[in-house]
Amino acid sequence: YNLWVPTSWLLDKVWQVTCVSIAAQLATFALGLLYFHQFPVYFLFSNLIVIPLSTVILVVGIALLIVSSIPFLGAAVGFSLEWLIKLLNGSVFWVESLPYSLIEGVYLTTFQSWLLLGLVVFITLLFITKSFKFLLLAVSCALVYSTIQWVHFYDDVKQNQLVVYQVANHAAVEFISHGQSYFYSDSLFAKDESKIHFHINSNRVKAGVNHIQVNPHVNLFEKKMKGFHYFVWKGNKVLWIEKNNVGLPTNIKADYTILSNDAAYLMPSLNREHLTTLVIDGSAKLKSKLDTINVYSTRTKNAFVKRI
């Protein structure tokens, strides 16, 4: 704040809010990247609105607690508080709707988050103390962070993945390759953005997914067969059965077999010699027999993730 002395009262207030915004962002951006995988590009602009409004809302909220028992005055203060909150939320959503308002899909580990916080602390101490050791510590944090990010890129982003997600009462299967996702699920779940965000997005961020096809009708690696899906992907055969009344060929071969809904009842009749790995997803209705049959259940072991 002391780096610049504004010439007017208004500029001084804007500069104060700007300094608070920068300080708050430096202190919290690593946690924001860790938990939300995004960075708000226009935070300086939005905080010019948010910080003054939130301060007023805090004061009016306390006032409402004091005068709430007074009929007309309490109602008037409550009405004012309601519209102040609406104004605050509306301004935030408006800024978010602007082009390029968010950098999304950022993945980092908890350790990397600590490294970023350390980087900020050591650079701050460097400017305060002018000590060379803090420069070395800051550079060390940056180098370790970059190394972990490169390892993540080669271990996760450049890999091909078959994922069977654990979603209660829904089937969700995803093929991921170099940022491209082919996602298969029932239409009800596929359209539920909140559930997709909760169950699916974290793995997509980790895998570097930037393009998604949902239930594609034409797919180069899917063979259309009556009553079930049969995928040939990256040299692997994936059989996905969703019903127990399908006419499954007796000699069909699959490296991975996924059973959804009531298809789990087919397990005793399946030719295990030709089906290498059986996976039961969260929509399966055969819970009682899972312990006696040697299969992978997403209900007990979480999502099935296979790198291919």
Side-chain angles (χ1 to χ4, degrees):
Y1 173 75
N2 293 329
L3 291 176
W4 179 48
V5 180
T7 57
S8 69
W9 177 86
L10 180 60
L11 283 177
D12 182 62
K13 294 302 178 184
V14 170
W15 180 234
Q16 285 183 19
V17 172
T18 301
C19 290
V20 170
S21 299
I22 295 172
Q25 199 61 248
L26 284 173
T28 62
F29 83 100
L31 292 175
L33 293 177
L34 176 65
Y35 289 107
F36 304 108
H37 311 294
Q38 63 186 27
F39 181 82
V41 177
Y42 304 139
F43 72 93
L44 284 176
F45 173 66
S46 62
N47 282 347
L48 288 175
I49 306 171
V50 170
I51 292 177
L53 267 180
S54 60
T55 303
V56 174
I57 287 171
L58 179 61
V59 173
V60 176
I62 294 173
L64 179 61
L65 293 175
I66 297 172
V67 303
S68 59
S69 59
I70 303 174
F72 296 104
L73 185 58
V77 175
F79 180 81
S80 302
L81 180 61
E82 177 185 357
W83 279 98
L84 284 169
I85 293 174
K86 287 182 178 180
L87 180 61
L88 175 64
N89 291 338
S91 64
V92 170
F93 289 130
W94 175 73
V95 173
E96 186 181 359
S97 68
L98 296 175
Y100 311 108
S101 63
L102 287 175
I103 297 174
E104 297 182 283
V106 180
Y107 174 79
L108 73 165
T109 64
T110 303
F111 181 56
Q112 284 179 298
S113 178
W114 281 107
L115 288 172
L116 288 178
L117 289 171
L119 181 64
V120 171
V121 170
F122 293 137
I123 290 178
T124 303
L125 291 174
L126 174 64
F127 279 96
I128 293 173
T129 66
K130 306 297 189 294
S131 175
F132 184 71
K133 66 179 180 181
F134 292 118
L135 176 62
L136 293 178
L137 289 170
V139 171
S140 298
C141 287
L143 288 175
V144 174
Y145 177 91
S146 301
T147 302
I148 295 174
Q149 200 67 5
W150 276 108
V151 171
H152 155 68
F153 179 77
Y154 282 102
D155 283 352
D156 298 313
V157 178
K158 293 196 72 175
Q159 299 293 327
N160 302 311
Q161 290 185 14
L162 164 64
V163 186
V164 182
Y165 293 99
Q166 166 53 32
V167 184
N169 303 317
H170 293 285
V173 179
E174 190 164 39
F175 299 87
I176 300 175
S177 179
H178 298 85
Q180 171 68 57
S181 162
Y182 298 93
F183 181 64
Y184 292 84
S185 180
D186 58 273
S187 58
L188 185 63
F189 178 72
K191 294 178 181 179
D192 193 327
E193 293 185 4
S194 62
K195 287 186 177 180
I196 291 291
H197 181 80
F198 182 80
H199 293 283
I200 312 295
N201 275 12
S202 59
N203 185 65
R204 286 177 176 172
V205 170
K206 184 177 181 180
V209 171
N210 51 40
H211 189 265
I212 303 166
Q213 291 189 40
V214 180
N215 295 324
H217 295 292
V218 178
N219 198 296
L220 296 178
F221 60 85
E222 180 185 8
K223 295 183 178 180
K224 297 292 184 181
M225 303 186 77
K226 187 176 181 180
F228 55 91
H229 302 270
Y230 190 63
F231 304 91
V232 179
W233 188 65
K234 307 297 180 183
N236 290 262
K237 300 179 180 67
V238 181
L239 174 65
W240 183 18
I241 311 173
E242 296 185 89
K243 298 181 179 179
N244 68 351
N245 58 351
V246 298
L248 193 67
T250 56
N251 61 343
I252 193 170
K253 294 184 179 181
D255 299 295
Y256 305 96
T257 302
I258 306 165
L259 302 179
S260 301
N261 303 314
D262 58 1
Y265 291 108
L266 289 172
M267 280 193 290
S269 63
L270 292 175
N271 187 346
R272 296 293 298 276
E273 182 181 350
H274 299 297
L275 305 177
T276 306
T277 302
L278 289 179
V279 181
I280 307 295
D281 69 11
S283 68
K285 296 182 174 64
L286 190 64
K287 297 173 62 177
S288 59
K289 295 183 180 180
L290 290 181
D291 295 333
T292 61
I293 300 175
N294 185 24
V295 296
Y296 187 102
S297 171
T298 62
R299 296 188 182 209
T300 57
K301 302 178 182 179
N302 297 319
F304 176 81
V305 181
K306 183 66 178 180
R307 293 180 179 179
I308 298 173

